[in-house]
Amino acid sequence: MRARHAALRTRRINAVGRIRKRTRDEAEPEVQAIYDLYQKERGNVPNMFQTMAHRPEMLKTMIAHFRAVMSSGTLPQKLKEMAVVRTSWLNHCAY
Amino acid sequence: MLRRLGATGEQLRSLRGEFRPELFDAKEQAAILYAERMTLDAHSISDEEFAALRDRFDEGEIVELTAVIGLFNYFNRFNDALQVDVTDPNEGKIE
């Protein structure tokens, strides 16, 4: 199981991805604004966002929902992140 | 992210491997077990399992936790199907 995770991680870091990531230059102004915000907040734009940028409305609303789910509500942030880490590990295992 | 929130290395290893409930408090245990059940077989969560969740969380918290787990199941599947490469946290330049 650990070997499978390691193999998946190696493939993921080195892979080009099946869908081309959209560049900032080619993106609509609303997507550029998102890229700029994440560049400022995190120092990079997540590859998932650059992929979803093929559908700007979906990217925008996904981010809004993502922020609401992770940053609003009353559950402790640590508890939510624990559930996230476990979920992600289980999915890669199932993959 | 979890380390910054105060999780220990042991807890992180447990989340990414054999789960050791004794490393977590009661609410965290309940959340992590729920994440497992929902991720692997949401349809078969029993009334007894759900009652155990209700013992620890109010309805708003259960909705919030369910949304967190659901959201990351969505992200995991999106990224795995499209083989989106892992975002390098050291990468500062976007294309």
Side-chain angles (χ1 to χ4, degrees):
Chain A
M1 193 166 292
R2 191 175 285 180
R4 191 191 303 182
H5 269 107
L8 281 172
R9 185 163 175 83
T10 301
R11 190 204 72 200
R12 289 275 290 273
I13 287 172
N14 295 335
V16 173
R18 287 178 162 158
I19 301 290
R20 187 183 61 84
K21 290 180 283 190
R22 288 191 84 201
T23 65
R24 187 189 181 282
D25 285 347
E26 70 184 288
E28 297 77 4
E30 58 195 343
V31 173
Q32 290 182 335
I34 291 170
Y35 277 27
D36 293 344
L37 175 68
Y38 276 84
Q39 190 68 35
K40 187 176 171 188
E41 277 185 2
R42 288 170 50 112
N44 60 60
V45 182
N47 290 333
M48 188 181 87
F49 291 15
Q50 294 186 59
T51 304
M52 198 172 280
H54 284 273
R55 288 294 180 266
E57 197 56 30
M58 292 181 192
L59 175 65
K60 264 187 350 191
T61 54
M62 179 277 287
I63 287 171
H65 185 63
F66 174 36
R67 286 181 175 249
V69 169
M70 296 309 291
S71 304
S72 75
T74 56
L75 288 175
Q77 199 64 29
K78 188 164 86 162
L79 182 142
K80 294 205 278 196
E81 290 290 340
M82 285 176 170
V84 164
V85 170
R86 190 66 176 163
T87 296
S88 297
W89 185 81
L90 286 165
N91 280 325
H92 293 131
C93 181
Y95 185 91
Chain B
M1 172 73 146
L2 250 186
R3 292 303 292 266
R4 276 190 274 128
L5 292 169
T8 66
E10 257 195 309
Q11 285 177 322
L12 266 174
R13 282 189 293 278
S14 174
L15 291 169
R16 291 174 176 148
E18 187 182 332
F19 181 55
R20 294 174 52 201
E22 71 275 12
L23 298 175
F24 302 89
D25 68 34
K27 281 188 112 161
E28 289 165 349
Q29 285 180 33
I32 292 160
L33 287 169
Y34 181 55
E36 285 205 14
R37 297 291 289 124
M38 187 178 153
T39 296
L40 296 178
D41 195 2
H43 187 72
S44 74
I45 296 172
S46 68
D47 290 344
E48 290 73 25
E49 286 173 308
F50 202 77
L53 198 64
R54 276 191 186 275
D55 283 345
R56 301 288 174 200
F57 300 104
D58 66 34
E59 289 195 327
E61 289 171 325
I62 291 172
V63 167
E64 186 180 340
L65 181 59
T66 306
V68 169
I69 298 162
L71 185 66
F72 276 82
N73 271 284
Y74 158 27
F75 290 169
N76 291 160
R77 280 160 176 72
F78 184 94
N79 290 328
D80 283 354
L82 298 184
Q83 292 183 357
V84 176
D85 41 326
V86 176
T87 307
D88 180 351
N90 296 318
E91 183 188 319
K93 199 174 161 186
I94 54 171
E95 293 168 58

